[in-house]
Amino acid sequence: MSTALITGASAGLGAQFANTLAARGHDLVLVARNVEALEALAGQLREAAGVRVEVLPADLADRQALQVVADRVAGDGPPGGAGQVDLLVNNAGFGLRTAFLQSDVADEEKALDVMCRAVLVLSHAAGRAMSQRGHGGILNVASVAAFVPGGSYSAAKAWVTTFTQGLANDLAAHGVLVSAVCPGFTHTEFHQRAQMNMSRLPEFAWLEADQVVDVALRDLARGRAISVPGAPYKALTALLQATPPGLASRATLALGRRRRSRKRAH
């Protein structure tokens, strides 16, 4: 895999994917809304790793902008830029601070556009192009939240996980690897940008971004459709998958009530 296209590349896990892949000699196409942040990262990577880096600004919730990215995924690339995309990393996403019924429905729709529709459209473009060439990889960033009935974010990540498993089956015979990485809480800007107070979460529950990326890339290369970094989260997801859905829902509901009662007490 010589060229990787990464969505949500300006910060967090996306930036870590960019740094790791550049260090391994991959040319890059970086996609995000923040042009300044993309240009700054691209300059750093060109200097540090000596790789070709394209900057492709796009809001993936905008269908026209998404199509531009899909065309780049399926095409050869501009002269002098990075080449054909051999690895697609669908990383773009964001969380909403408010509960579903307290959120603006337009924000909920935008989240689904970025975390589900964009994954579908870009995976379709990549899957077709890569299967014709007989090689390539698609790595979708999901979450441990996919295994917990906890609102629209969990639902979006559950969709990504199930979609990835089906796509992995479809493309296995064509030499294309497909995987969904499902990290738990990870030290990035994600929660800060969503204005979520995570100060009470114990340190042992946190993963490091480079750890998540290394495990994700390793499991993709091994052909694992689902990748869960960190032993505690592997155990947790195994437990959640073995728990009857009704019991898991009741546990989530009880936890939500406990959190609300704590907020009222304060």
Side-chain angles (χ1 to χ4, degrees):
M1 300 176 185
S2 59
T3 299
L5 184 146
I6 306 165
T7 68
S10 60
L13 281 178
Q16 184 62 55
F17 271 110
N19 277 281
T20 298
L21 289 167
R24 297 183 184 186
H26 292 256
D27 292 334
L28 300 172
V29 182
L30 305 180
V31 179
R33 293 178 299 169
N34 190 328
V35 182
E36 292 78 11
L38 287 181
E39 292 287 3
L41 178 59
Q44 293 169 12
L45 295 174
R46 293 184 190 112
E47 182 176 354
V51 296
R52 291 180 295 181
V53 184
E54 289 179 36
V55 168
L56 183 54
D59 181 351
L60 298 182
D62 180 279
R63 296 197 173 199
Q64 289 185 334
L66 176 59
Q67 188 57 51
V68 170
V69 180
D71 291 342
R72 178 62 185 90
V73 168
D76 295 331
Q84 292 178 330
V85 173
D86 304 294
L87 172 62
L88 167 65
V89 181
N90 280 312
N91 165 77
F94 60 91
L96 298 175
R97 183 170 57 91
T98 52
F100 175 66
L101 294 180
Q102 280 70 53
S103 299
D104 189 318
V105 71
D107 292 334
E108 294 284 352
E109 289 179 308
K110 185 172 184 177
L112 286 179
D113 282 341
V114 172
M115 291 188 286
C116 294
R117 188 177 187 277
V119 171
L120 183 149
V121 170
L122 298 183
S123 295
H124 188 270
R128 280 192 167 182
M130 292 175 184
S131 61
Q132 290 174 359
R133 298 196 296 264
H135 67 88
I138 300 171
L139 178 55
N140 297 325
V141 177
S143 170
V144 165
F147 303 97
V148 181
S152 57
Y153 180 84
S154 294
K157 294 305 186 180
W159 181 90
V160 170
T161 302
T162 301
F163 170 75
T164 300
Q165 289 174 300
L167 188 62
N169 292 335
D170 291 343
L171 293 178
H174 300 279
V176 181
L177 300 172
V178 185
S179 182
V181 59
C182 300
F185 295 106
T186 305
H187 282 304
T188 68
E189 304 94 327
F190 178 87
H191 299 97
Q192 186 177 20
R193 292 170 72 179
Q195 298 180 345
M196 298 177 182
N197 183 359
M198 307 302 294
S199 60
R200 293 186 178 182
L201 194 69
E203 185 58 33
F204 71 81
W206 290 96
L207 301 171
E208 298 300 329
D210 59 345
Q211 173 191 4
V212 171
V213 169
D214 287 343
V215 171
L217 294 172
R218 181 196 68 198
D219 285 347
L220 176 67
R222 293 177 177 178
R224 293 180 178 172
I226 301 298
S227 172
V228 182
Y233 287 111
K234 289 182 187 294
L236 175 62
T237 54
L239 176 63
L240 290 170
Q241 288 176 300
T243 302
L247 180 59
S249 296
R250 289 194 295 273
T252 303
L253 181 60
L255 180 60
R257 288 173 176 168
R258 185 178 178 185
R259 286 175 176 169
R260 287 193 294 271
S261 65
R262 283 182 176 179
K263 288 181 180 178
R264 286 194 294 268
H266 287 89

